[in-house]
Amino acid sequence: QVQLVESGGGLVQPGGSLRLSCAASGFTLIWSDMRWYRQAPGKQRELVATITVGGSTNYADSVKGRFTISRDNAKNTVYLQLNSLKPEDTAVYYCNWPSRGVWGQGSQVTVSS
């Protein structure tokens, strides 16, 4: 069964950091582009970061320089490191396998003092 399971969300103060994990099962990440999206209350889901099979990365302008996407092929896991968090980063974050339309369950990130 193909599945993406996310973990690592939570409540953090402005300026803080979190690391989201996305563990894949039923397929091998090494052969797949992977993405992270987020959806804030009342807003459309937006693409945050992409990592290609070759390891190239791309980021939304709003998170460039603060977020880092990476992968551990041995663990079949993709990560999203969130640094210098702002209240406007508050959202549910989703891991995505775009070629098959598979989504994780979502992980809530709340940035508040």
Side-chain angles (χ1 to χ4, degrees):
Q1 181 183 1
V2 174
Q3 196 173 8
L4 296 172
V5 178
E6 302 169 25
S7 59
L11 173 63
V12 63
Q13 292 186 342
S17 297
L18 285 173
R19 189 177 78 159
L20 304 181
S21 299
C22 172
S25 60
F27 71 103
T28 304
L29 279 179
I30 192 172
W31 304 116
S32 307
D33 292 355
M34 296 296 295
R35 295 175 177 170
W36 284 95
Y37 285 78
R38 68 183 180 186
Q39 188 166 20
K43 295 188 177 181
Q44 289 189 329
R45 193 170 295 189
E46 65 169 336
L47 177 61
V48 174
T50 301
I51 186 165
T52 69
V53 171
S56 298
T57 58
N58 285 287
Y59 300 93
D61 288 343
S62 58
V63 307
K64 204 169 291 184
R66 300 188 298 121
F67 291 8
T68 304
I69 188 171
S70 62
R71 64 203 304 159
D72 184 332
N73 293 328
K75 295 183 178 180
N76 215 32
T77 299
V78 175
Y79 302 98
L80 187 66
Q81 178 69 40
L82 293 69
N83 296 331
S84 302
L85 282 161
K86 305 174 181 180
E88 52 264 42
D89 295 318
T90 295
V92 179
Y93 286 73
Y94 296 91
C95 180
N96 171 246
W97 181 22
S99 64
R100 296 293 180 92
V102 178
W103 293 86
Q105 82 281 9
S107 186
Q108 177 69 48
V109 172
T110 302
V111 184
S112 175
S113 55

